[in-house]
Structure formats: structure tokens, C-alpha cells
């Protein structure tokens, strides 16, 4: 470590974790002093949202059940109108990154406190970052006021995750940890989170894929995803996230699948220039970490290439040039030719 000053900021002040933790949401809402809760629920969480509404009793105000990926501002406006109608004073988001993104978008506009109950491994609940879309253009902002103050991780809610989303979402989380490991400016706490996170994902994901209802392994995976989300909040993301943003934004691709198929390619490119990260990951993977991740990614029963996601081969050069023109901090220098080669390998 050099002499540079590093800042480590912690976001969610309370994190609850464990099977059945959903039942504690009403107490958590009470701690925030809230009287009228707007529940933001992914369609997949409709049933859990009904249970939650019943448990919130007189503190329940309404449910908004149609969050959309990348928080389009029109959807936010609709939910904001509902929040105003029911005089909501707090938000509980239950679902993946899309439900949590909508909650952040509302919190950013109203100052309402948030409890996040994640059901995927994307990690948004642990970050102060919000990506929104308006007229097809995506903007991202970062503000501590956007971060949920409480996170409730209940692995029971991940039992319904289909195999494909379990795999791709866990690799999305692993990408946060891997990028934190090769960020030379990451704090000691972030490095520790990243190691524990990558260890948890590499150990628990194969178990969960073989035994999807193993609640202990599901819990470990979720715990690892929390730490990965914290890495995303703390560390500088590099080429992997830049490619995911550039490709996802340009072609409207599914978030988790895109991350999952890119990760091994970016690791192959970057790890030669990040010996510490390479050594740590090799210890955790008990061998070549790039091969371990490629092998996990190949187990997906959906698209595993950019081509299968519908990206045209001749669109890759333009993406490569855009990325190389303004690269995110990355352990290995990023050139248009190198990025094009990487994208062709992922194609
Ligand atoms: P998602 O929230 O869009 O969910 C994908 C699909 O899975 C949805 O149909 C949802 O209903 C379903 N689903 C979610 N949980 C389920 C469960 N337990 N069982 C069955 N189905 C379930 O997907 P995501 O990958 O969690 O989130 C992606 C979004 O989050 C993107 O918009 C991305 O930009 C954002 N994101 C933001 C950050 C951040 O820090 N700002 C971090 C990660 C992701």
C-alpha cells in the first residue's frame, strides 16, 4: 500500500441475515419510525409482498408491483404518484436489482428511508448508485442518500430463483468482487470483503446448482453476494463493468446474463496484469480461476455468448472504440484492438 489516502464508507447501517428474516421487516420499519410503507415488489415476489403487507398491518400503505430493469423514469413517475396518493413515508423493496433500483429512485426524489429485501445476488441494495433510463439513454448517479439504510437477507426468498438466474446472478456478484481485487486503490476492508465474497461464491454456487433447496448453501451465497455488493459500493469498477454498461446500455441486454458471459473473458485479459488478484483467486479456486469461472458460466442453460444475446458481430468494433476512448480504471491498459479481440472471444 502506498501513501495515498483511502476512504472507506459504509452504507447500510443494519444488515439482517438468515432464514426467516423477512418476518423482521415490520420491526425494522418501526425502527425507522415509519407509519405508512410503500412496498415495491418484483412480480416474482408478489406472494411474499402479500405476506409482508399482512405483517405490516396498519403500517402498510400500498404495493407497487411493476419495477422495470434500469429504472425508466416513466415507471418511477407512476410509483411516485402512488407514493403521494397513499402518503407513504418509507419504502420496502422486495425483489432483484430492478425493484431495489426503483426504491432508490423514489428515495432520491423524496428522502424516504428504505429497507431492501433482495431476492437475487445483484448487490444493488449495498450501493449508493442508481442507474436510470430516460428516452433510451442511461444515466448513473452516486449519492449516499440513495443507499437503503437496512438490508434484510432471507435466503428462503432465493429458493424460487430459477437455475439460470441463480447462476448468472451469482456470477454478476462475483464480478464485483473480482474487480475489487484488482483495484489497487481498494481499502483493506474492501479487499477482505472481496476475498470472502469470491470464496463464498466459488464454494457455494456449485452446491446450490446441484442442490437448489440447500438453504445453508443458499445463505452462504447470499452472504457472499452482500459482500460483493459492498465491493461494488467501495471499489473502482474496471473493464468488466465498463463493458457490461456499454453493451447493456447500447443493446438493452439482460443484466445478469451479460455479466456472467463476460467475466471469464475479462479475467483472462486482466489477471496477467494483476498478480496479487490472480494469486488470491487461484488459491480460492484451487487452480486457474479463469477456467473455474468459464466452466461455471458454461453451465448456464440460456445464452452464453454475445451472439446468442443477439449482438451483431459488426457492432463490436464501435463498442471497443467507445470503451477504449474513455476507459474505467483498469489494471491492464485498454486499447480498442484488445477490447475488440476480447469481445470477439465473447461473441
Ligand atoms: P431483476 O431485478 O431485473 O430481476 C430479473 C428477473 O428475475 C425479474 O423478472 C424478477 O421478477 C425475477 N426474480 C427476482 N428474484 C427472483 C426470485 N427469487 N425468484 C424468481 N424470480 C426472481 O434482476 P437483477 O439482476 O437482480 O437486477 C438487475 C437490475 O439491477 C439492473 O437494472 C441493474 O442495472 C441493476 N443493478 C444496479 C446496481 C447498483 O448498484 N445500482 C447493482 C446491481 C444491479
Amino acid at each position: 500500500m502506498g501513501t495515498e489516502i483511502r476512504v472507506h464508507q459504509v452504507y447500510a447501517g443494519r444488515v439482517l441475515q438468515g432464514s426467516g428474516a423477512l418476518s423482521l421487516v415490520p420491526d425494522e420499519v418501526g425502527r425507522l419510525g415509519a407509519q405508512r410503507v410503500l412496498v415495491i415488489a418484483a412480480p416474482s415476489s408478489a406472494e411474499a409482498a402479500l405476506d409482508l403487507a399482512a405483517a405490516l398491518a396498519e403500517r402498510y400503505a400500498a404495493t407497487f408491483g411493476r419495477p422495470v430493469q434500469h429504472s425508466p423514469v416513466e415507471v418511477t413517475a407512476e410509483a411516485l404518484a402512488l407514493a403521494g396518493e397513499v402518503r407513504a413515508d418509507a419504502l420496502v423493496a422486495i425483489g432483484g436489482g430492478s425493484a431495489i433500483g426503483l426504491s432508490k429512485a423514489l428515495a432520491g426524489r423524496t428522502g424516504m428511508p428504505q429497507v431492501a429485501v433482495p431476492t437475487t445476488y445483484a448487490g444493488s441494495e449495498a450501493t449508493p448508485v442508481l442507474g436510470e433510463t430516460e428516452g433510451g439513454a442511461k444515466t448513473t448517479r452516486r449519492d449516499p442518500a440513495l443507499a437503503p439504510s437496512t438490508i434484510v437477507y432471507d435466503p428462503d426468498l432465493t429458493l424460487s430463483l430459477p437455475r439460470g438466474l441463480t447462476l448468472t446472478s451469482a456470477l454478476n456478484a462475483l464480478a464485483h468482487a473480482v474487480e475489487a481485487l484488482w483495484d489497487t486503490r481498494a481499502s483493506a476492508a474492501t479487499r477482505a470483503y472481496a476475498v470472502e465474497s469470491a470464496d463464498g461464491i466459488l464454494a457455494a454456487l456449485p452446491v446450490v446448482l446441484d442442490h437448489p433447496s440447500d438453504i445453508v448453501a443458499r445463505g452462504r451465497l447470499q452472504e457472499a453476494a452482500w459482500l460483493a455488493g459492498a465491493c461494488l459500493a467501495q471499489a473502482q469498477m474496471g473493464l468488466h463493468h465498463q463493458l457490461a454498461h456499454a453493451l447493456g446500455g447500447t443493446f438493452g441486454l439482460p443484466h445478469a446474463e451479460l455479466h456472467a458471459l463476460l467475466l471469464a473473458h475479462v479475467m483472462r485479459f486482466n489477471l496477467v496484469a494483476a498478480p496479487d488478484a490472480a494469486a488470491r483467486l487461484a488459491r480460492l479456486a484451487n487452480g486457474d480461476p479463469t477456467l473455474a469461472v468459464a466452466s461455471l458460466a458454461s453451465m448456464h442453460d440460456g445464452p452464453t455468448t454475445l451472439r446468442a444475446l443477439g449482438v451483431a458481430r459488426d457492432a463490436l468494433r464501435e463498442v471497443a472504440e467507445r470503451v477504449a476512448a474513455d476507459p474505467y480504471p483498469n489494471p491492464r491498459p485498454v486499447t480498442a484492438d484488445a477490447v475488440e479481440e476480447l469481445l470477439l472471444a465473447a461473441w
Side-chain angles (χ1 to χ4, degrees):
M1 173 166 170
T3 53
E4 193 172 10
I5 294 171
R6 296 168 191 215
V7 177
H8 185 89
Q9 182 167 345
V10 173
Y11 296 97
R14 278 174 71 79
V15 177
L16 285 70
Q17 200 195 353
S19 176
L22 178 67
S23 66
L24 299 179
V25 170
D27 292 351
E28 293 306 313
V29 164
R31 280 177 173 269
L32 297 173
Q35 300 299 328
R36 299 192 55 77
V37 174
L38 177 65
V39 176
I40 311 284
S44 51
S45 297
E47 213 172 295
L50 283 176
D51 294 346
L52 188 57
L56 285 167
E58 71 278 4
R59 287 207 181 96
Y60 172 72
T63 298
F64 185 89
R66 297 178 309 282
V68 173
Q69 185 167 272
H70 305 314
S71 306
V73 291
E74 315 81 72
V75 177
T76 302
E78 229 184 290
L80 195 57
L82 176 62
E85 259 165 51
V86 301
R87 291 173 288 107
D89 63 0
L91 299 158
V92 175
I94 176 161
S98 298
I100 292 165
L102 175 56
S103 171
K104 288 172 160 180
L106 294 176
R109 286 161 174 78
T110 61
M112 279 192 273
Q114 310 168 70
V115 175
V117 187
T119 63
T120 68
Y121 306 117
S124 177
E125 66 281 358
T127 83
V129 178
L130 170 64
E132 296 185 279
T133 43
E134 181 163 20
K138 183 165 176 178
T139 52
T140 300
R141 63 196 167 101
R142 190 183 181 98
D143 179 349
L146 295 170
S149 47
T150 305
I151 311 176
V152 176
Y153 287 109
D154 185 339
D156 297 2
L157 297 171
T158 62
L159 291 173
S160 58
L161 271 175
R163 179 188 166 85
L165 191 54
T166 295
L167 173 61
T168 56
S169 188
L171 291 178
N172 180 193
L174 183 60
H176 310 329
V178 167
E179 291 234 84
L181 279 175
W182 60 47
D183 172 10
T184 53
R185 296 183 52 198
S187 71
T190 301
R191 286 198 302 276
Y193 279 23
V195 168
E196 185 64 21
S197 173
D199 191 23
I201 294 167
L202 291 170
L205 179 56
V207 180
V208 168
L209 292 175
D210 281 349
H211 307 283
S213 58
D214 182 331
I215 201 69
V216 174
R218 285 274 185 193
R220 179 144 193 232
L221 198 50
Q222 197 176 39
E223 179 183 70
W226 160 37
L227 300 177
C231 287
L232 178 63
Q234 303 291 346
Q236 303 185 105
M237 293 293 119
L239 180 60
H240 174 89
H241 282 73
Q242 186 174 19
L243 287 175
H245 294 161
L247 290 160
T250 308
F251 305 110
L253 305 178
H255 183 82
E257 276 178 337
L258 176 60
H259 275 273
L261 76 84
L262 283 175
L263 182 58
H265 295 285
V266 183
M267 287 171 71
R268 190 166 291 119
F269 178 74
N270 266 355
L271 284 176
V272 292
D276 285 356
R280 283 176 185 216
L281 285 166
R283 274 199 298 279
L284 299 175
N286 279 322
D288 183 335
T290 304
L291 289 182
V293 171
S295 152
L296 283 167
S298 72
M299 292 164 74
H300 182 34
D301 50 13
T304 55
T305 60
L306 291 174
R307 181 186 196 169
L309 280 183
V311 178
R313 190 179 194 278
D314 56 14
L316 300 180
R317 180 73 200 177
E318 195 274 323
V319 173
E321 281 174 6
R322 205 156 17 103
V323 165
D326 192 13
Y328 290 9
N330 194 60
R332 187 168 166 190
V334 170
T335 65
D337 286 349
V339 175
E340 187 183 21
E341 198 180 316
L342 188 163
L343 292 176
L344 279 170
W347 192 78

